[in-house]
């Protein structure tokens, strides 16, 4: 059973039998996403079933000539509202099955950002038809089954403006360092040493979440899961039409990257509101927008 299925409003689905019954219901509301004729003479099809605006479950597998569908895998999806990154995206196949991971060298988060490609069928069709596989942008979105709401850090208008300028300058230095600028590397090293020194002094008297405004770091063993702290920009409450469970679709800004996070209302501790912060573990997914 998919771990993040509960985030899409299926907290009550806990056994294999309940999972099969759920998938049967979803297949009754399916819409074809894409169809691929394989060299072996079989047809591979992907369907999706929408549970709420922008939220649903994708199901992929082989389909016989008689129309019998054999499920290979499924996963919940959440459509991202905007282009989160325009960095070059590398796409690689998973070893277990015909699913794909994307990787962005996104210097804003300081690491190679790896995510689960949610439109892998489109990628496979474009590859088979010899169309461009170059990415134009990526709409990131994530699911969470454990989240908390933190209060915002109080700042003056001047502090907010200075933070924006510092962020722009740091991104410029990171971009220069990425292309081999030694002066930029040295400046970044000195800034990191100064930052460590400031944090070491403040942590003696302050709570860690009053110092760290946002963070984005790998969590666990799987490479597409992260622990984040980010500012909430928008909150939407949606209802799973099958179970009636409430789902929050949060627009989050984390380390200057905007993306959507979906979480079951029952799994979120606290009341989300714009300006407050979200802290939790997420499974990062993304839709790759290809160049024509």
């Amino acid at each position: 059973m998919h771990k993040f299925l509960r985030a899409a409003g299926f907290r009550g689905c806990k056994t294999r039998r309940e999972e099969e019954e759920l998938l049967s219901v979803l297949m009754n509301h399916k819409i074809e996403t894409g169809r691929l004729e394989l060299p072996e003479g079989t047809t591979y099809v992907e369907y999706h079933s929408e549970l709420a605006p922008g939220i649903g479950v994708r199901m992929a597998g082989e389909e016989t000539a008689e129309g019998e569908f054999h499920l290979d895998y499924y996963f919940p999806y959440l459509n991202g509202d905007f282009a989160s990154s325009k960095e070059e995206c590398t796409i690689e196949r998973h070893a277990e099955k015909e699913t794909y991971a994307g990787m962005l060298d996104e210097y804003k988060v300081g690491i190679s950002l790896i995510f689960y490609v949610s439109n892998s069928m489109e990628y496979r069709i474009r590859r088979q038809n010899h169309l461009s596989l170059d990415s134009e942008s990526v709409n990131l979105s994530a699911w969470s089954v454990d989240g908390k709401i933190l209060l915002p850090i109080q700042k003056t208008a001047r502090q907010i403006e200075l933070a924006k300028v510092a962020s722009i300058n740091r991104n410029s230095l990171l971009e220069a360092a990425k292309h081999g600028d030694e002066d930029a590397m040295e400046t970044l090293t000195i800034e990191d040493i100064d930052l460590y020194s400031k944090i070491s002094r403040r942590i003696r008297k302050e709570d860690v979440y009053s110092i760290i405004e946002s963070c984005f770091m790998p969590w666990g063993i799987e490479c597409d899961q992260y622990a984040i702290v980010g500012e909430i920009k928008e909150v939407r409450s949606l209802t799973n039409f099958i179970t009636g469970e409430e789902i929050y679709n949060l627009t989050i800004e984390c380390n200057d990257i905007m993306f959507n996070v979906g979480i079951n209302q029952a799994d979120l501790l606290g009341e989300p509101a714009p300006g407050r912060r979200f802290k939790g573990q997420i499974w990062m997914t993304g839709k790759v927008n290809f160049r024509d």
Side-chain angles (χ1 to χ4, degrees), residues 125-149:
I125 292 172
R126 292 182 71 91
R127 186 179 62 184
Q128 188 180 73
N129 295 333
H130 306 290
L131 299 174
S132 172
L133 298 177
D134 295 330
S135 64
E136 187 174 59
S137 61
V138 176
N139 293 22
L140 293 174
S141 58
W143 289 108
S144 176
V145 293
D146 181 24
K148 298 177 179 66
I149 299 299

Side-chain angles (χ1 to χ4, degrees), residues 216-270:
F216 194 104
M217 58 187 294
W219 177 72
I221 296 174
E222 295 190 47
C223 54
D224 53 9
Q225 296 188 28
Y226 303 91
I228 68 163
V229 176
E231 183 182 351
I232 300 172
K233 294 295 185 181
E234 184 182 355
V235 180
R236 280 173 285 172
S237 182
L238 305 171
T239 304
N240 181 319
F241 84 93
I242 294 176
T243 62
E245 294 183 23
E246 295 295 319
I247 307 162
Y248 283 126
N249 184 354
L250 309 175
T251 301
I252 303 288
E253 182 179 12
C254 180
N255 286 32
D256 296 326
I257 292 183
M258 298 275 285
F259 54 91
N260 295 85
V261 174
I263 184 170
N264 195 304
Q265 195 176 81
D267 293 328
L268 183 63
L269 180 63

Side-chain angles (χ1 to χ4, degrees), residues 46-225:
E46 183 181 272
Y47 297 105
H48 73 273
S49 179
E50 191 170 71
L51 306 168
I55 290 176
V57 176
R58 295 190 189 275
M59 299 157 285
E62 290 188 10
E63 191 169 86
T64 65
E66 294 76 26
E68 187 178 352
F69 180 73
H70 298 281
L71 181 69
D72 185 17
Y73 66 89
Y74 72 94
F75 64 93
Y77 71 85
L78 169 64
N79 292 333
D81 293 332
F82 33 73
S84 304
S85 174
K86 294 186 178 180
E87 293 295 316
E88 183 181 352
C89 179
T90 303
I91 300 175
E92 294 288 343
R93 183 188 186 275
H94 289 129
E96 182 187 2
K97 51 184 176 288
E98 194 79 15
T99 56
Y100 293 82
M103 185 179 75
L104 296 166
D105 285 325
E106 186 55 77
Y107 54 84
K108 292 178 183 177
V109 298
I111 58 174
S112 293
L113 198 162
I114 299 173
F115 62 94
Y116 185 97
V117 177
S118 61
N119 60 328
S120 59
M121 178 57 76
E122 180 185 358
Y123 172 79
R124 294 177 66 181
I125 292 172
R126 292 182 71 91
R127 186 179 62 184
Q128 188 180 73
N129 295 333
H130 306 290
L131 299 174
S132 172
L133 298 177
D134 295 330
S135 64
E136 187 174 59
S137 61
V138 176
N139 293 22
L140 293 174
S141 58
W143 289 108
S144 176
V145 293
D146 181 24
K148 298 177 179 66
I149 299 299
L150 305 178
L151 293 175
I153 296 175
Q154 189 173 12
K155 289 184 175 182
T156 63
R158 177 170 171 75
Q159 286 175 320
I160 294 172
E161 190 61 34
L162 288 174
K164 288 180 180 178
V165 173
S167 177
I168 292 170
N169 291 338
R170 182 172 176 79
N171 289 341
S172 298
L173 288 170
L174 286 167
E175 181 68 20
K178 183 179 175 181
H179 291 91
D181 189 323
E182 293 185 3
D183 290 337
M185 294 179 193
E186 185 178 348
T187 302
L188 286 168
T189 302
I190 294 171
E191 285 184 357
D192 286 344
I193 293 171
D194 290 342
L195 182 62
Y196 178 79
S197 178
K198 290 177 183 177
I199 291 174
S200 298
R201 290 195 301 270
R202 291 182 61 185
I203 200 69
R204 298 172 186 171
K205 299 179 180 180
E206 298 180 49
D207 181 82
V208 64
Y209 292 115
S210 67
I211 301 172
I212 300 173
E213 185 174 359
S214 70
C215 75
F216 194 104
M217 58 187 294
W219 177 72
I221 296 174
E222 295 190 47
C223 54
D224 53 9
Q225 296 188 28

